Amino acid sequence: MNQDNSLPVDLDNALLVGRVWRPAPVDGPSVVVVRNGEVFDISAVAPTVADLLDRPDRVVLAKGAAGESLGDVRALVAATIQGQDGPRLLAPCDLQPIKAAGVTFAISLLERLIEEEAGGDASRADEIRVRMQALIGSDLSRLRPGSAEAIKLKAEMMERGQWSQYLEVGIGPDAEIFSKTPAMASVGTGAQIGVLPESQWNNPEPEIVLAVDSRGEIVGATLGNDVNLRDIEGRSALLLTKAKDNNGSCAIGPFIRLFDGDFDLDSVRQADVSLRIDGTDGFHLDGVSHMREISRDPQDLVRQAFGAHHQYPDGFMLFLGTMFSPSQDRKGPGTGFTHKLGDRVEIASERLGALVNEVRLSTEIAPWTFGVRALYANLAKRGLVR
């Protein structure tokens, strides 16, 4: 990471697009690109990020479209994270629905099995983890979902009476693809993220998020935090929406890095994603996910989300899943990890930058009020759409 830890190490070669909230007289979001460390508003050419990403000439447009300078990108990122008045970064997507793939890493599969058996009780996690590892008796990271070996393991687990819905999506042929949050509901870097007051066992989920256009083509990538309430999902998988989709529960940013000659899907496949948590109580946690250990290839996950069975006319964003479920004890031996209010969460990857957020209650952070209708009313007022 570079010195401010928020932008790609190869910033000069990175083709970054995003969104900035501009105060009056604009009083709304603008589509921006970063060139040579400078931020340019190109909303006159592409009023939404969805419009930009859907254009076949998006790379040429991002590199050369005329725009209004908003200054140095480092200053913008710093002002956003510090909560200063003036322009600030938003989530870099707008009209795209937010989808997520679950249980795509072996270790996350194990943690989901633990949640399910614990029924939301964090104090039982350690004992179940040891027993589950002994019971499975194989390296799940080496299993290709849907393969003959996976089918054999499934049969063995069913015979033992230990089959699970999480094993089904973890090693079976069909991936778990769910709706994380509506379009326009995601927050960006520097924003507060939310957990429900009743949740006592929750965690961040550091992930790479793909940007996919309306034709199903992967056109870029960014970082995301799929904030998760483990106790609520552990009670029942049917509570997934309550566990996953709340005010401030989806953070994406800081920018979408477009695929070009320097950065592509293979770059994503080889990326490392780090997680750092710093609490106001002195707690500190570091972890890392290696995308090369994902069980399902990103391209396969996109194919399972998009095709003749399901289209996305505005494109979509797809969380690829995480292998890092924090288990470090926080409140005492055997309690596992859970957030405390005020936690600073940083998710980073060298060629994508860093996504930084503070944990608060979903019921106390700023409510989501600026949706699709508000966006188009603002764009119409500015003469950018008719």
Side-chain angles (χ1 to χ4, degrees):
M1 307 296 294
N2 67 6
Q3 61 180 0
D4 63 12
N5 204 33
S6 293
L7 294 161
V9 291
D10 56 342
L11 177 62
D12 290 343
N13 295 322
L15 189 54
L16 305 178
V17 301
R19 294 166 65 236
V20 169
W21 183 273
R22 300 186 62 185
V26 172
D27 200 26
S30 290
V31 177
V32 299
V33 298
V34 180
R35 303 176 189 140
N36 300 316
E38 189 173 1
V39 182
F40 292 91
D41 181 344
I42 62 166
S43 300
V45 180
T48 70
V49 172
D51 289 322
L52 174 62
L53 299 189
D54 225 41
R55 291 183 57 152
D57 62 345
R58 59 187 161 268
V59 170
V60 173
L61 186 64
K63 288 181 176 180
E68 177 186 355
S69 175
L70 301 183
D72 182 77
V73 66
R74 295 173 181 84
L76 174 62
V77 170
T80 298
I81 292 175
Q82 293 165 13
Q84 297 177 10
D85 293 336
R88 69 179 190 276
L89 283 169
L90 302 171
C93 49
D94 40 40
L95 301 180
Q96 302 95 326
I98 313 299
K99 309 293 288 188
V103 202
T104 56
F105 288 85
I107 192 167
S108 67
L109 168 56
L110 179 62
E111 291 301 317
R112 291 295 178 267
L113 294 172
I114 293 167
E115 285 172 18
E116 183 179 43
E117 184 165 337
D121 182 357
S123 66
R124 299 181 58 204
D126 281 348
E127 174 267 324
I128 296 171
R129 186 176 290 109
V130 171
R131 178 163 45 81
M132 195 70 70
Q133 287 172 330
L135 178 65
I136 292 174
S138 62
D139 184 355
L140 291 175
S141 67
R142 297 179 181 275
L143 277 181
R144 182 171 57 85
S147 66
E149 293 80 7
I151 293 171
K152 180 180 178 182
L153 176 60
K154 175 179 178 178
E156 292 175 354
M157 295 292 287
M158 291 182 71
E159 187 173 332
R160 296 175 185 174
Q162 290 290 329
W163 190 244
S164 158
Q165 57 201 345
Y166 293 111
L167 279 166
E168 181 65 52
V169 296
I171 66 174
D174 299 316
E176 178 191 17
I177 306 289
F178 62 92
S179 293
K180 169 63 180 176
T181 204
M184 299 290 294
S186 302
V187 300
T189 196
Q192 294 178 331
I193 51 177
V195 296
L196 293 182
E198 58 265 39
S199 176
Q200 300 301 311
W201 188 21
N202 46 69
N203 64 278
E205 293 193 354
E207 307 187 22
I208 286 183
V209 185
L210 299 180
V212 186
D213 69 12
S214 67
R215 295 169 291 277
E217 179 183 353
I218 306 169
V219 299
T222 184
L223 295 168
N225 186 350
D226 176 14
V227 181
N228 182 47
L229 310 183
R230 300 188 70 179
D231 45 2
I232 291 177
E233 184 180 359
R235 282 163 46 202
S236 171
L238 297 182
L239 293 174
L240 182 65
T241 296
K242 185 176 179 67
K244 291 283 192 179
D245 186 8
N246 300 292
N247 191 26
S249 68
C250 179
I252 299 177
F255 295 94
I256 294 170
R257 182 164 183 170
L258 291 184
F259 287 175
D260 57 9
D262 189 64
F263 183 80
D264 57 18
L265 189 57
D266 282 336
S267 305
V268 170
R269 292 182 175 113
Q270 296 303 314
D272 296 330
V273 181
S274 66
L275 170 68
R276 178 186 175 111
I277 302 173
D278 291 293
T280 58
D281 58 351
F283 178 85
H284 175 75
L285 181 148
D286 279 303
V288 64
S289 295
H290 307 290
M291 285 300 298
R292 61 182 176 273
E293 296 180 14
I294 197 168
S295 300
R296 299 182 189 269
D297 186 74
Q299 187 70 68
D300 175 57
L301 292 171
V302 171
R303 290 194 191 101
Q304 295 214 32
F306 177 96
H309 64 291
H310 203 313
Q311 299 78 44
Y312 294 89
D314 297 311
F316 64 102
M317 306 294 291
L318 179 62
F319 279 75
L320 292 178
T322 185
M323 67 172 286
F324 193 75
S325 294
S327 57
Q328 182 176 328
D329 289 339
R330 182 89 185 256
K331 296 181 180 179
T335 61
F337 172 84
T338 194
H339 273 307
K340 289 189 177 182
L341 300 186
D343 279 354
R344 182 184 186 274
V345 181
E346 180 184 285
I347 294 167
S349 189
E350 282 197 341
R351 304 191 71 187
L352 293 172
L355 173 66
V356 181
N357 301 101
E358 178 191 1
V359 177
R360 307 303 300 177
L361 294 179
S362 292
T363 52
E364 296 180 356
I365 64 177
W368 174 38
T369 59
F370 197 91
V372 174
R373 289 190 302 163
L375 171 64
Y376 273 91
N378 180 267
L379 294 175
K381 182 179 179 180
R382 294 155 59 186
L384 298 177
V385 297
R386 298 179 183 178

